[in-house]
Amino acid sequence: MRLFRAPDASLGRLDAAEAASLFAQASDIALVIDTHGVIRDLAIASEDLSRDLGAGADWHGRPWLDTVTADSRPKVEALVQGIAQRQSPRWRHVNQVASPDGTVPILYSAMRIGEADRAMVFGRDLRPMSQLQQRLLDAQHSAEREYGRLRQAETRYRLLFQLSPEPVLIADAPSGRVLEMNPAAQQLLGRAAKHLPGRPVTELFDRHGQQAVRALLVVASGGSGAEEATAVLAEGARPVRIAASLLREGGGAAFLLRLSPVRALDQPAMPPAAATLLTVVQRAPDAFVVTDDRGRILTANEAFLELAQLATEEDATGELLDRWLGGLGAEMEVLVTALRERGSVRLFAAALRGEQGASTEVEVSAVSVLDSGKRPSFGFAIRNLGARARPEEAGREPLRSVDEIKELIGRVPLKQLVQEAATIIERLCIEAALRLTGDNRARAAEMLGLSRQSLYDKLHRYGLGNLDAKGGEGG
């Protein structure tokens, strides 16, 4: 602590009014108390503090202890005791009671005035500092939350990078040196991957491939989008296709290089007959879909896209087939269960719902096959029955017996067979009622629970009775 060396010479003589003004301006709040801690006078320089403390209107003549909170009373007592014992001034944090039902944090220090029984108490409003500390704390919490989100995002993308089945390299853009690679890239590159980090990415390829990769990186550095080139690996002489994209991060830049093996030109992708079969299936008028063992679509032909009212195959790939085939998943569940148990299903009647709400009756035949990974895949041939002519529409006489229905099993859907059976039963009931009533149509209608008009319509449909005697009671 350092005091004025010659206050008499530097400050001159100050009267009481000047000293009071000086005390008031030097602090946010100034109190004049006696040696017993009773407030004799006060001055509040801050307008906000004066408003919150009610201008200290009722403080005059009250003990200072009565104007502070209970937890601050020991601090006030220590300040008053220090004045009586002429101790060096100390600053203490006191919570001053404010109105209504609030408190104001103030930092107080007190000193005795000469030999008089008076002391000056100087106070500094701590609320601006508290608000600043609170803003700093809020900013720190916000930064911690943002940092946590960034760490989570980094963890997710790091996991995707490591688990991706596609070989990926990340190279520094200015130098072209490899920064890191995922396990798929390590497997593709083999022994060369061990010494690659920190080395130029061009060392992976043969002489002609190095030139192609350098040109690719130059074009990709423009940031116009993903660029591609084909090069041959130096080790193994395997051709690969390279897709390069520019990534900008933290003021720097890096290349994302995706590698994919290219099938040798002298090794056809598949036999010509198999390629022709795939083309036929793709263009067939009947829908064809291939799914995995969980019913998720792997590929679908154009006819299925038309039935499901989809624009592209990507709209179907990865989706569950029961999104379109069957009602509430029940029919699809029956199909999958039958495929797992028997390996194939024939002529299964179902409904297919389009994206725009159209519903079509279909007939499904399916087969289960094992892929290269020894997992089952399902193939579904779906035939649209909406345009198929009904038996009546084809000029066939109505069925008259159960034996005739049996002959249609496997040729028409189950739903249609049930309708045919219901028609036979209805016709037989009407014929029986007419026989029992002696061909009295009024009594027959009453026996069957039909109106006479309904009975006449059914007689006309089935060609029963004398249709000209419609209004009579007999045949």
Side-chain angles (χ1 to χ4, degrees):
M1 180 177 180
R2 175 172 176 170
L3 302 176
F4 291 110
R5 290 185 300 176
D8 292 338
S10 58
L11 297 178
R13 294 184 177 276
L14 299 176
D15 57 21
E18 292 174 337
S21 177
L22 177 62
F23 294 153
Q25 294 299 323
S27 58
D28 294 323
I29 180 172
L31 305 177
V32 179
I33 63 174
D34 57 22
T35 54
H36 300 290
V38 177
I39 299 175
R40 297 304 179 184
D41 203 353
L42 77 156
I44 304 176
S46 171
E47 294 183 2
D48 293 338
L49 186 60
S50 177
R51 181 177 61 254
D52 293 338
L53 297 177
D58 59 344
W59 289 15
H60 294 80
R62 292 180 59 191
W64 186 16
L65 285 173
D66 295 345
T67 66
V68 300
T69 59
D71 62 324
S72 297
R73 292 173 70 90
K75 300 177 184 179
V76 172
E77 291 174 348
L79 285 170
V80 174
Q81 185 178 1
I83 293 171
Q85 298 176 359
R86 294 183 178 277
Q87 297 175 355
S88 299
R90 295 182 59 186
W91 292 95
R92 295 183 181 273
H93 181 180
V94 175
N95 290 320
Q96 197 76 51
V97 175
S99 58
D101 301 329
T103 60
V104 177
I106 298 178
L107 191 65
Y108 279 118
S109 181
M111 63 176 293
R112 191 162 182 169
I113 305 175
E115 298 297 330
D117 62 345
R118 295 288 187 272
M120 287 297 304
V121 179
F122 302 94
R124 298 174 184 171
D125 190 356
L126 295 180
R127 289 179 300 177
M129 184 178 295
S130 299
Q131 294 171 357
L132 181 61
Q133 292 175 342
Q134 185 61 44
R135 287 199 295 270
L136 179 61
L137 187 62
D138 292 341
Q140 182 178 359
H141 288 166
S142 177
E144 290 176 353
R145 289 193 298 269
E146 187 64 26
Y147 179 71
R149 285 195 291 267
L150 289 175
R151 288 294 301 272
Q152 292 176 0
E154 180 183 2
T155 300
R156 287 195 295 269
Y157 288 121
R158 174 66 59 182
L159 184 62
L160 288 174
F161 177 73
Q162 295 296 330
L163 297 180
S164 173
E166 184 178 27
V168 179
L169 297 174
I170 296 179
D172 180 56
S175 64
R177 296 181 180 272
V178 175
L179 300 177
E180 57 182 323
M181 67 187 75
N182 67 351
Q186 295 176 5
Q187 183 177 2
L188 173 67
L189 301 177
R191 291 179 300 175
K194 182 182 298 184
H195 307 289
L196 189 59
R199 306 290 298 172
V201 69
T202 53
E203 292 185 0
L204 279 173
F205 308 98
D206 62 10
R207 183 169 57 86
H208 296 290
Q210 291 179 6
Q211 297 176 357
V213 171
R214 289 192 189 99
L216 173 67
L217 297 182
V218 170
V219 175
S221 62
S224 58
E227 303 292 338
E228 291 190 358
T230 301
V232 177
L233 294 175
E235 182 174 339
R238 288 172 297 173
V240 294
R241 180 171 288 104
I242 311 160
S245 302
L246 184 66
L247 302 177
R248 301 189 183 276
E249 51 181 6
F255 289 119
L256 179 69
L257 304 175
R258 295 179 290 116
L259 310 179
S260 56
V262 177
R263 194 180 299 273
L265 298 178
D266 57 351
Q267 181 182 356
M270 63 180 65
T276 303
L277 177 61
L278 286 179
T279 304
V280 170
V281 171
Q282 181 65 26
R283 299 181 181 179
D286 288 341
F288 195 86
V289 182
V290 178
T291 73
D292 60 14
D293 58 343
R294 294 175 297 174
R296 291 193 178 277
I297 296 176
L298 301 177
T299 184
N301 69 351
E302 297 174 359
F304 176 80
L305 301 180
E306 182 179 353
L307 277 178
Q309 298 176 318
L310 300 174
T312 63
E313 186 177 352
E314 286 74 15
D315 296 334
T317 303
E319 299 289 337
L320 290 171
L321 181 56
D322 62 8
R323 174 176 172 181
W324 298 282
L325 183 63
L328 302 177
E331 296 176 0
M332 188 64 188
E333 183 177 352
V334 172
L335 268 172
V336 171
T337 301
L339 284 173
R340 288 173 177 165
E341 293 178 353
R342 301 197 299 270
S344 64
V345 175
R346 292 176 180 272
L347 305 177
F348 184 89
L352 192 143
R353 305 178 303 278
E355 284 292 298
Q356 307 302 323
S359 181
T360 306
E361 293 183 10
V362 296
E363 185 178 77
V364 182
S365 295
V367 65
S368 173
V369 296
L370 294 178
D371 59 19
S372 57
K374 303 303 181 183
R375 294 179 60 89
S377 297
F378 302 145
F380 296 87
I382 305 172
R383 173 164 295 180
N384 181 4
L385 300 181
R388 177 181 288 182
R390 300 290 182 183
E392 293 83 0
E393 297 170 349
R396 181 174 56 82
E397 291 294 328
L399 300 178
R400 295 178 176 273
S401 68
V402 176
D403 292 335
E404 294 181 4
I405 292 180
K406 290 181 179 179
E407 293 177 0
L408 293 179
I409 294 177
R411 295 161 51 195
V412 298
L414 176 62
K415 183 178 180 180
Q416 186 174 339
L417 291 177
V418 172
Q419 293 174 348
E420 293 284 358
T423 299
I424 292 175
I425 293 172
E426 185 178 53
R427 179 187 179 94
L428 293 175
C429 290
I430 293 174
E431 290 177 344
L434 290 174
R435 285 196 302 270
L436 292 174
T437 60
D439 206 20
N440 189 315
R441 300 177 185 178
R443 291 180 59 193
E446 182 179 358
M447 179 182 295
L448 295 171
L450 299 173
S451 66
R452 293 176 63 182
Q453 185 61 46
S454 296
L455 179 60
Y456 295 149
D457 292 340
K458 294 180 184 298
L459 292 175
H460 177 77
R461 183 189 309 166
Y462 299 129
L464 300 174
N466 185 359
L467 299 180
D468 294 334
K470 182 176 179 181
E473 297 297 330

